[in-house]
Amino acid sequence: MKVIVSGIGASPSYPDIAAALADVRGRIAAACRKAGRDPAEVTLIAVSKTHSASRALECVAAGQRHFGENRIQEAATKWPELRQSTPELCLHLIGHLQSNKAEEAVALFDVIHTLDGARLAEKLAGEMSRQSRRLPCFIQVNTGREAQKAGIDPGEADQFITACREQWKLPIVGLMCLPPVDEQAAVHFAFLREIALRNGLAQLSMGMSDDFESAIAFGATHIRVGSAIFGARR
Ligand SMILES: *Cc1c(COP(=O)(O)O)cnc(C)c1O
């Protein structure tokens, strides 16, 4: 009996990455046109967490250069090899970072999106100077004040931003948020932008597969898109 094995490309949970990426880029361009913004101001971060190195490589081959991972260990097994063949890759840490993993994070990543406390700020500052690596940092703000979510309380954001700059001399470039799933993301995007503006921060890391167009309308400079590029995660 002949067994026919269907290709994984046929399954809807494994989209053609090049096509999905082109679609997302088209949607970014359209959202920018609508908002009167230059698409060059918006960095697309392809969130490859849970997806294999070979899927990530497909995405690199399709021209993508910025990637996001949320776990140190997973990034450490997946990315060093991929980086060797494409040195211009930029790796973004988008998941919570424990301060005892700061050393590894500074060695492995290029940008930190999840600076969320004084202990971490102090450890990151120490590691950056020890390793002579200055990683641009986004401060994560818990705009929904959710107990289970990481991030600085919005009421303490101004003070924390100042401490990061003056006390720890960290290269703070912007703010990041993850809006509550059951609320209108736009309200949180507007709130984050307001905090960034009054603190003179130019960059905003906000917007995911379901809401990046809205984030772009509210000034996102970095959008973090996973499932719209790689398909659903298991
Ligand atoms: C997983 C993740 C994303 C991507 O989510 P999608 O809905 O798959 O686009 C973005 N940001 C953070 C912080 C994430 O953990």
Side-chain angles (χ1 to χ4, degrees), residues 28 39-45 66 92 220-224:
I28 293 169
E41 293 171 14
V42 180
T43 299
L44 169 63
I45 300 170
H66 291 264
H92 300 253
T221 60
H222 293 70
I223 58 173
R224 312 176 308 264

Side-chain angles (χ1 to χ4, degrees), residues 55-131:
R55 295 290 282 167
L57 182 58
E58 276 180 64
C59 199
V60 173
Q64 179 63 26
R65 291 295 176 264
H66 291 264
F67 289 86
E69 290 282 348
N70 65 338
R71 286 162 186 245
I72 305 273
Q73 212 41 58
E74 185 180 345
T77 58
K78 203 185 289 180
W79 286 98
E81 202 175 330
L82 291 168
R83 271 171 174 303
Q84 283 200 330
S85 45
T86 315
E88 72 274 22
L89 290 182
C90 185
L91 198 55
H92 300 253
L93 177 63
I94 62 163
H96 177 65
L97 176 58
Q98 290 173 284
S99 42
N100 62 1
K101 302 256 176 74
E103 179 179 359
E104 257 183 294
V106 169
L108 193 56
F109 287 89
D110 303 298
V111 183
I112 308 275
H113 288 246
T114 48
L115 173 51
D116 62 2
R119 256 177 75 83
L120 180 59
E122 189 180 346
K123 289 285 281 185
L124 280 174
E127 279 305 326
M128 286 189 202
S129 80
R130 232 186 316 281
Q131 298 184 36

Side-chain angles (χ1 to χ4, degrees), residues 45 47 49 51 69-70 94-96 113-114 140 176-178 205 207-212 223-229 231-233:
I45 300 170
V47 177
K49 67 185 187 199
H51 297 287
E69 290 282 348
N70 65 338
I94 62 163
H96 177 65
H113 288 246
T114 48
Q140 182 175 356
M176 177 272 208
C177 77
L178 259 172
S205 169
M208 323 201 306
S209 292
D210 288 338
D211 54 24
F212 69 80
I223 58 173
R224 312 176 308 264
V225 179
S227 47
I229 295 171
R233 288 180 294 273

Side-chain angles (χ1 to χ4, degrees), residues 126-147:
E127 279 305 326
M128 286 189 202
S129 80
R130 232 186 316 281
Q131 298 184 36
S132 297
R133 275 173 63 76
R134 299 275 292 166
L135 277 64
C137 294
F138 289 82
I139 291 169
Q140 182 175 356
V141 181
N142 187 357
T143 57
R145 295 190 159 99
E146 295 173 280

